Amino acid sequence: MTRQSYSRRSFLRNTGLGLVVASFSVFGCARVAPTTDASGYLVYIGTNVNSETENTIFLYRLNPTTGALTPVSGLKGGASPTYLTLDAKRQHLYAVNETSTFRGAPSGAVSAFAIDPKTGNLTLLSQEPSQGGSPCYISLDRSEKAVLVANYMGGNVSVLPVQADGRVGAPTAMDQHQGTGPHKNQTAPHAHCILPDPANKYSFAVDLGTDKVYGYQLDPATGKLTSNAEPAFTTKPGAGPRHLTFHPNGRNAYLINELNSTVTSLAYDAGKGTFTEIQTVSTLPTGFVGDNSCADIHVSPDGKFLYASNRGHNSIAVFAIDNSSNLTLIQHESTQGKTPRNFTLDPAGRLLLVGNQNSNNVFTYHVDQKSGKLRPTGQSIEIPSPMFLFVTADFTQGSK
């Protein structure tokens, strides 16, 4: 089977991943011995490596002072484990396998892994269909009883129950989106994100193809997903909303729009489960000419700054957030690579890590705590097609 039959991104671009994977022999068939020269954080990296037998999830240690990444191990996460999440106790990791077929049916997959507390290594517990092609986002509801999945090519979202031992069960709910948009990439619905609100009252699915954010009420005990009567928010036609993130205050949220390279600041009505636009701003510098699409978005832990990634301009746009949730652009920092699909901040907000999908590398940056601006640490790693970075406290330190 060719890569084109697995991932929706392979028809968007040709990454030449087969050649890249062969060059990363350090994570070939053998595990890399754990190292102890860095402490502080562990980083799980999901990739678009399309293989059931190769290592496709990679584990590193992150030095919280220098930003250096030290390899721990390569792990078998299945084909294209592009988006990951961990439970709060760091006992289980959940991944989408961004494929177009699973067990002979038109669907991607969701994989559940047990995490070894001494090494951080993964053991597959269960795997279930996602009920839609090319799942590209996964989250846990805040009770951690259900996994929420957005299926890009399927244009739908699904719910899978989390069992007592951490396994995922067969899907209990699915909602199929309907509609199109004016952009050439909006000929069908494309669910790109689903996550719970801070109170776990509502869950929201962002659909790039229909320019809408859909609201749901989820019953974690039964896995039932009830769609709200009206969309929670509708963007400007052709904006192509991609990811949603909440401010730490719970009253505001931010939406990154892939197709028109903008960020929308939102006021959140937690009672109704709806959003109201405050402001929409460009993620690009004035006068930029060329193709660009936005990807990821994060708020600093202190709520003072917003970060957004540009693919094409290949930069992180940095915004200051004022008391009214208005955004002011303060910096564009190069990602030092091509196609920054995903990035993340460490839990303290002192380091930012960027995965450049098409140049096969990850770079780290210091975050100025007063200004929010980024400064390269000079540290980087090479890794095949990095698609997602999850930073967590290093629970393996001191283990025997």
Side-chain angles (χ1 to χ4, degrees), residues 83 295-296 298 309 340-344 353-356 387-389:
Y83 213 92
D296 204 5
H298 294 281
S309 61
R341 181 182 183 272
N342 175 254
F343 68 94
T344 193
L353 294 74
V354 180
N356 291 300
M387 302 287 277
F388 185 79
L389 309 163

Side-chain angles (χ1 to χ4, degrees), residues 90-358:
R90 295 167 297 186
Q91 295 177 336
H92 300 100
L93 181 147
Y94 301 92
V96 292
N97 296 102
E98 195 172 336
T99 63
S100 60
T101 58
F102 177 68
R103 295 175 182 167
S107 174
V110 177
S111 298
F113 300 88
I115 300 174
D116 188 316
K118 294 183 178 180
T119 64
N121 289 338
L122 306 177
T123 300
L124 181 65
L125 295 175
S126 65
Q127 196 173 44
E128 294 289 343
S130 67
Q131 286 202 312
S134 299
C136 61
Y137 195 101
I138 187 169
S139 64
L140 285 161
D141 90 289
R142 296 189 186 277
S143 72
E144 300 192 337
K145 294 180 180 178
V147 165
L148 311 175
V149 179
N151 295 296
Y152 183 88
M153 291 304 294
N156 58 40
V157 295
S158 58
V159 178
L160 291 81
V162 176
Q163 300 171 356
D165 62 358
R167 297 171 186 267
V168 290
T172 55
M174 187 272 283
D175 185 61
Q176 180 65 52
H177 297 170
Q178 302 290 336
T180 60
H183 191 278
K184 64 180 181 180
N185 292 351
Q186 294 179 310
T187 58
H190 293 305
H192 219 310
C193 169
I194 183 168
L195 77 166
D197 75 353
N200 213 40
K201 182 178 181 179
Y202 297 102
S203 295
F204 297 101
V206 180
D207 196 297
L208 180 147
T210 65
D211 289 325
K212 297 185 186 302
V213 178
Y214 298 93
Y216 301 92
Q217 296 181 60
L218 170 69
D219 182 346
T222 63
K224 182 179 179 181
L225 192 69
T226 303
S227 177
N228 293 346
E230 297 293 334
F233 184 71
T234 300
T235 69
K236 292 180 175 60
R242 179 182 173 101
H243 283 185
L244 177 76
T245 190
F246 281 89
H247 190 280
N249 67 17
R251 302 186 302 274
N252 297 101
Y254 304 91
L255 188 65
I256 192 161
N257 302 303
E258 176 176 326
L259 300 181
N260 71 356
S261 298
T262 62
V263 170
T264 300
S265 174
L266 301 165
Y268 178 50
D269 186 327
K272 297 179 180 179
T274 58
F275 300 94
T276 302
E277 181 177 352
I278 297 172
Q279 177 194 32
T280 295
V281 297
S282 175
T283 63
L284 293 169
T286 302
F288 173 79
V289 177
D291 293 330
N292 188 77
S293 63
C294 289
D296 204 5
I297 186 168
H298 294 281
V299 181
S300 62
D302 62 10
K304 295 180 179 179
F305 305 102
L306 181 77
Y307 300 87
S309 61
N310 286 306
R311 299 175 297 179
H313 188 247
N314 295 326
S315 66
I316 301 295
V318 184
F319 299 88
I321 303 173
D322 70 13
N323 291 334
S324 300
S325 203
N326 285 303
L327 303 174
T328 301
L329 179 68
I330 58 175
Q331 185 188 26
H332 284 100
E333 179 64 36
S334 170
T335 64
Q336 305 178 76
K338 298 178 181 179
T339 319
R341 181 182 183 272
N342 175 254
F343 68 94
T344 193
L345 292 154
D346 75 9
R350 296 183 180 276
L351 290 171
L352 185 143
L353 294 74
V354 180
N356 291 300
Q357 177 187 350
N358 285 355

Side-chain angles (χ1 to χ4, degrees), residues 30-111:
R31 291 280 176 89
V32 175
T35 58
T36 58
D37 59 332
S39 62
Y41 298 117
L42 292 176
V43 185
Y44 288 93
I45 304 177
T47 71
N48 200 26
V49 176
N50 174 21
S51 173
E52 292 287 349
T53 59
E54 294 181 61
N55 295 320
T56 55
I57 297 175
F58 298 92
L59 179 60
Y60 280 77
R61 282 196 173 90
L62 172 65
N63 186 303
T65 302
T66 66
L69 288 159
T70 306
V72 177
S73 56
L75 310 165
K76 290 178 172 57
S80 298
T82 59
Y83 213 92
L84 319 172
T85 192
L86 274 67
D87 63 6
K89 294 182 179 179
R90 295 167 297 186
Q91 295 177 336
H92 300 100
L93 181 147
Y94 301 92
V96 292
N97 296 102
E98 195 172 336
T99 63
S100 60
T101 58
F102 177 68
R103 295 175 182 167
S107 174
V110 177
S111 298

